[in-house]
Amino acid sequence: MEHVLSPATLTELRRPRPYPAVSVLTPTHRREPENAQDPVRLRNVLAEAKKQLDHDPAVSRERRNDVVEQLDRALAEVDLTHAEDGLAIFAAPGEHQVWSLARPVPERVVLAETFLTRNLVAAQAAERPFWVLSVSSDRVALWNGGGGRVTPARSGGFPLTRDRDNFDAERQQRIGDMPSAFRDEDTRHFLRDADSAMGRVLRTHPRPLYVTGETAALSLLDEIGTVTKDATHIPHGGLAHGTPEAVWQAIGPMIEAENRRNVDTVARRLEAARGSKAFAAGVDEVRQNAEQGRVQLLAVEENYRATVRADGGVHLVPAESGELDAREDIVDEIVERCLDTGAEVRFVPDGTLGDARGIAGVLRY
């Protein structure tokens, strides 16, 4: 299953496909007993997708068989033992993708000429993704961070390991001279290569970078690095050979403290916007400004959801889930639109926005 949404990947997902491009969304669950329903629910929503394909007169038999085969292949790739909060399956003639989402999604099936990406985009924004690069003199590991966890990343050729013919870690441990490894020219070359590889990852997947390692390793990166010397350094050795749990234990407190500072900053910016009449609140008002590209900063409470429908004019009114013409993922629509128009998007703890009713924005004009 896919986990990293780069700008290039999103552009590829959004390009038009030969009809039908099928998007299947379903909620999933991380823990028992709720996750017991996930396999049945997934099979049912895929059966609904196949039913819609079968009854769509615009879909030829050959193309229907192709897309059904892609849906079956996608189902075989789903790993519900590591489920998060939602699942997105995309299938079109000759292709399929499976995305695990750390944000709930409404259950739905959509046949169109493009895939439905807004829930994927909103989930990625809510995760506040970051990279962790763990450095040692013989191995450099990259970790994909976000949503309160880290997982091993395979982007950019990582993990990088040093040629054992030119490196004798056991000998350096025997003579008690591990810091000298970072003065060795081969080690400098190895870490310079790692810095270059990290630079290539950041060009295609830009996000904050944290670097862990012994003090000597971090000092060397300050001297020779380009992207790594400007990252946040955390002096903690051993994580290049460590587990995801050990990495998160080392960096988690810093990430959580930074998140708290970000929430405080968002609250101050919203309060200042109120005073300057550059403030919008509530799903209807924020949605109108988002459509016009006026939102500079969007703040959304983490678990805020709203189901709405048009009132016959330009406004949205509350609606019930499943109601005719209801828009069940309007918040994710707003998030995607704001990101498309260059706005900052920040997810904040529930209750942070007070009388703003779950969603608020700072306006450009």
Side-chain angles (χ1 to χ4, degrees), residues 12 39 45 63 67 95 101-102 115 121 128 155 169 185 217 240 260 264 267 279 286 311 319 343 352 362:
E12 168 60 20
V45 73
R63 189 159 288 180
V67 177
E95 63 173 318
L101 310 181
F115 294 136
V121 171
R128 296 182 291 272
S155 302
E185 190 57 37
R260 289 192 293 271
D264 291 341
F279 178 78
V286 172
D311 67 352
T352 299
V362 176

Side-chain angles (χ1 to χ4, degrees), residues 142-223:
L142 182 63
W143 308 89
N144 177 36
R149 71 194 187 288
V150 298
T151 56
R154 306 301 178 191
S155 302
F158 289 101
L160 304 180
T161 55
R162 188 171 171 185
D163 184 356
R164 288 285 177 175
D165 292 339
N166 297 318
F167 180 71
D168 188 352
E170 289 187 8
R171 176 180 177 275
Q172 291 193 341
Q173 286 176 331
R174 285 197 303 272
I175 63 176
D177 193 26
M178 283 302 289
S180 70
F182 297 102
R183 296 194 295 269
D184 175 81
E185 190 57 37
D186 287 336
T187 303
R188 293 169 65 91
H189 182 74
F190 174 61
L191 294 189
R192 192 178 289 116
D193 287 345
D195 179 87
S196 298
M198 191 68 237
R200 291 190 290 273
V201 170
L202 289 171
R203 282 193 290 275
T204 55
H205 300 83
R207 57 175 70 173
L209 173 63
Y210 299 84
V211 181
T212 73
E214 299 286 351
T215 301
L218 300 181
S219 296
L220 178 56
L221 288 172
D222 274 338
E223 177 186 345

Side-chain angles (χ1 to χ4, degrees), residues 25-345:
L25 302 177
T26 186
T28 53
H29 303 83
R30 297 172 186 257
R31 299 176 183 87
E32 297 178 341
E34 292 85 1
N35 61 6
Q37 64 183 284
D38 291 349
V40 174
R41 193 165 188 171
L42 176 58
R43 287 196 298 271
N44 288 344
V45 73
L46 286 173
E48 173 61 26
K50 293 175 183 178
K51 179 180 176 181
Q52 290 191 27
L53 286 167
D54 193 47
H55 288 81
D56 191 333
V59 181
S60 67
R61 179 179 178 181
E62 179 182 7
R63 189 159 288 180
R64 178 176 66 250
N65 291 341
D66 186 342
V67 177
V68 166
E69 181 182 354
Q70 297 299 328
L71 289 171
D72 288 339
R73 290 183 180 180
L75 176 61
E77 294 176 11
V78 173
D79 180 8
L80 290 176
T81 60
H82 296 97
E84 297 179 280
D85 301 308
L87 191 68
I89 293 176
F90 301 133
E95 63 173 318
H96 67 273
Q97 293 192 36
V98 179
W99 289 83
S100 178
L101 310 181
R103 180 172 167 83
V105 296
E107 184 173 287
R108 65 189 309 178
V109 175
V110 177
L111 275 61
E113 293 182 344
T114 57
F115 294 136
L116 185 68
T117 59
R118 57 176 172 257
N119 307 96
L120 189 61
V121 171
Q124 186 82 354
E127 277 201 299
R128 296 182 291 272
F130 57 89
W131 295 117
V132 180
L133 193 70
S134 296
V135 176
S136 72
S137 53
D138 67 326
R139 191 174 195 268
V140 179
L142 182 63
W143 308 89
N144 177 36
R149 71 194 187 288
V150 298
T151 56
R154 306 301 178 191
S155 302
F158 289 101
L160 304 180
T161 55
R162 188 171 171 185
D163 184 356
R164 288 285 177 175
D165 292 339
N166 297 318
F167 180 71
D168 188 352
E170 289 187 8
R171 176 180 177 275
Q172 291 193 341
Q173 286 176 331
R174 285 197 303 272
I175 63 176
D177 193 26
M178 283 302 289
S180 70
F182 297 102
R183 296 194 295 269
D184 175 81
E185 190 57 37
D186 287 336
T187 303
R188 293 169 65 91
H189 182 74
F190 174 61
L191 294 189
R192 192 178 289 116
D193 287 345
D195 179 87
S196 298
M198 191 68 237
R200 291 190 290 273
V201 170
L202 289 171
R203 282 193 290 275
T204 55
H205 300 83
R207 57 175 70 173
L209 173 63
Y210 299 84
V211 181
T212 73
E214 299 286 351
T215 301
L218 300 181
S219 296
L220 178 56
L221 288 172
D222 274 338
E223 177 186 345
I224 66 171
T226 54
V227 297
T228 51
K229 77 173 182 179
D230 296 325
T232 301
H233 286 187
I234 302 172
H236 191 299
L239 298 179
H241 296 272
T243 63
E245 292 75 18
V247 175
W248 177 250
Q249 187 174 9
I251 69 164
M254 178 174 288
I255 300 293
E256 290 166 357
E258 189 167 318
N259 287 340
R260 289 192 293 271
R261 288 192 296 271
N262 288 337
V263 170
D264 291 341
T265 300
V266 167
R268 288 195 298 270
R269 291 176 65 182
L270 289 170
E271 192 59 35
R274 285 180 186 266
S276 61
K277 297 184 179 179
F279 178 78
V283 68
D284 188 37
E285 186 177 355
V286 172
R287 190 266 312 177
Q288 290 184 57
N289 284 285
E291 288 296 328
Q292 298 167 18
R294 295 185 61 198
V295 178
Q296 182 182 68
L297 167 68
L298 177 71
V300 183
E301 292 185 354
E302 288 169 349
N303 293 298
Y304 177 63
R305 301 286 184 278
T307 301
V308 299
R309 58 175 174 79
D311 67 352
V314 298
H315 296 290
L316 300 175
V317 296
E320 295 295 326
S321 178
E323 185 178 323
L324 185 65
D325 297 329
R327 296 163 72 174
E328 299 195 23
D329 47 4
I330 186 64
V331 175
D332 287 0
E333 288 185 46
I334 293 170
V335 169
E336 183 179 48
R337 177 60 180 165
C338 286
L339 289 169
D340 283 345
T341 55
E344 292 180 65
V345 175

